[in-house]
Amino acid sequence: GAGVSQSPSNKVTEKGKDVELRCDPISGHTALYWYRQSLGQGLEFLIYFQGNSAPDKSGLPSDRFSAERTGGSVSTLTIQRTQQEDSAVYLCASSPGSGDTQYFGPGTRLTVL
Amino acid sequence: QKEVEQDPGPLSVPEGAIVSLNCTYSNSAFQYFMWYRQYSRKGPELLMYTYSSGNKEDGRFTAQVDKSSKYISLFIRDSQPSDSATYLCAVMDTGRRALTFGSGTRLQVQP
């Protein structure tokens, strides 16, 4: 079956612009995660959605970052007023339920000029 | 100190060698242990998932967990050039559900 998909695969933006990154999880998976992978920091957790529960936002680095998940499926990660330090690969993962194996998408490579 | 420490490598071995990859962690609340493989410009792919101390084997891969030492290992037997990738260890506690990753070890298997 189809895996986790993310779009766009690459995004180049100018400092100060807003960007939206999209994640389509595996059908039927109730849990969805966003991570960020950068050279200096490795792979870091950002935010977690489980069903209709309030999301766990404990990993978001600043209030410029937000995410939503509509209809329990597609998720969008929004970064406002992008900074050069936001340059990284943003990875989405989904799992059948909380605590289950997480399956990752290919990521969106964000470059902030 | 990071919660999960992993030697970044790079590690270069000849084809057919046994590879040992290791991580240490600091928080005894971590109860689930995973190894992911990541090829260049791809997302991480799960290799092994273990819960308890001991060994788990899957083909050429063996995952080992020692909770008393807070030490996790991945062994690759008969390594192949196609095993060349970055290997990430990951841990999870029962409360949080998000994964905490090591920094990754880059492995190069020379034909």
Side-chain angles (χ1 to χ4, degrees):
Chain A
V4 177
S5 60
Q6 293 185 245
S7 60
S9 55
N10 285 283
K11 176 72 176 179
V12 180
T13 190
E14 293 178 347
K15 178 181 172 181
K17 301 276 190 179
D18 298 352
V19 295
E20 285 189 351
L21 312 180
R22 177 187 168 104
C23 172
D24 280 273
I26 294 172
S27 177
H29 281 195
T30 62
L32 186 147
Y33 310 78
W34 283 98
Y35 294 85
R36 178 171 70 174
Q37 188 171 32
S38 56
L39 278 175
Q41 299 298 322
L43 224 160
E44 305 171 287
F45 164 73
L46 295 176
I47 188 170
Y48 157 59
F49 296 90
Q50 171 57 49
N52 295 320
S53 302
D56 175 354
K57 304 179 183 180
S58 61
L60 294 178
S62 78
D63 58 8
R64 296 186 296 104
F65 288 73
S66 63
E68 63 176 19
R69 188 178 186 191
T70 54
S73 181
V74 171
S75 177
T76 302
L77 177 69
T78 301
I79 309 173
Q80 296 179 309
R81 304 181 302 280
T82 52
Q83 303 295 312
Q84 287 183 331
E85 61 262 29
D86 299 334
S87 296
V89 176
Y90 290 81
L91 291 158
C92 175
S94 71
S95 65
S98 176
D100 293 330
T101 299
Q102 295 181 27
Y103 298 88
F104 282 81
T108 293
R109 183 173 297 270
L110 175 66
T111 303
V112 182
L113 301 176
Chain B
Q1 183 191 4
K2 290 185 176 181
E3 289 190 288
V4 181
E5 298 279 358
Q6 183 175 8
D7 187 335
L11 182 62
S12 182
V13 301
E15 182 175 354
I18 295 174
V19 176
S20 172
L21 305 167
N22 309 292
C23 289
T24 59
Y25 62 96
S26 57
N27 190 341
S28 58
F30 293 133
Q31 296 293 320
Y32 302 91
F33 309 93
M34 285 136 277
W35 284 94
Y36 282 83
R37 176 175 63 193
Q38 187 175 25
Y39 292 112
S40 182
R41 295 189 174 258
K42 301 288 187 183
E45 165 195 16
L46 182 70
L47 283 176
M48 303 289 279
Y49 187 124
T50 59
Y51 171 71
S52 57
S53 283
N55 294 351
K56 181 177 180 179
E57 189 174 318
D58 184 0
R60 296 185 295 112
F61 299 90
T62 299
Q64 193 173 80
V65 175
D66 182 346
K67 287 187 178 179
S68 63
S69 302
K70 299 188 180 67
Y71 195 83
I72 56 178
S73 301
L74 179 71
F75 298 95
I76 307 174
R77 290 183 299 281
D78 187 25
S79 56
Q80 302 295 309
S82 58
D83 295 329
S84 298
T86 295
Y87 289 80
L88 298 150
C89 62
V91 299
M92 183 170 64
D93 64 44
T94 54
R96 192 163 183 231
R97 304 309 183 192
L99 297 174
T100 300
F101 284 87
S103 56
T105 299
R106 191 152 57 90
L107 172 67
Q108 184 73 36
V109 181
Q110 305 291 345

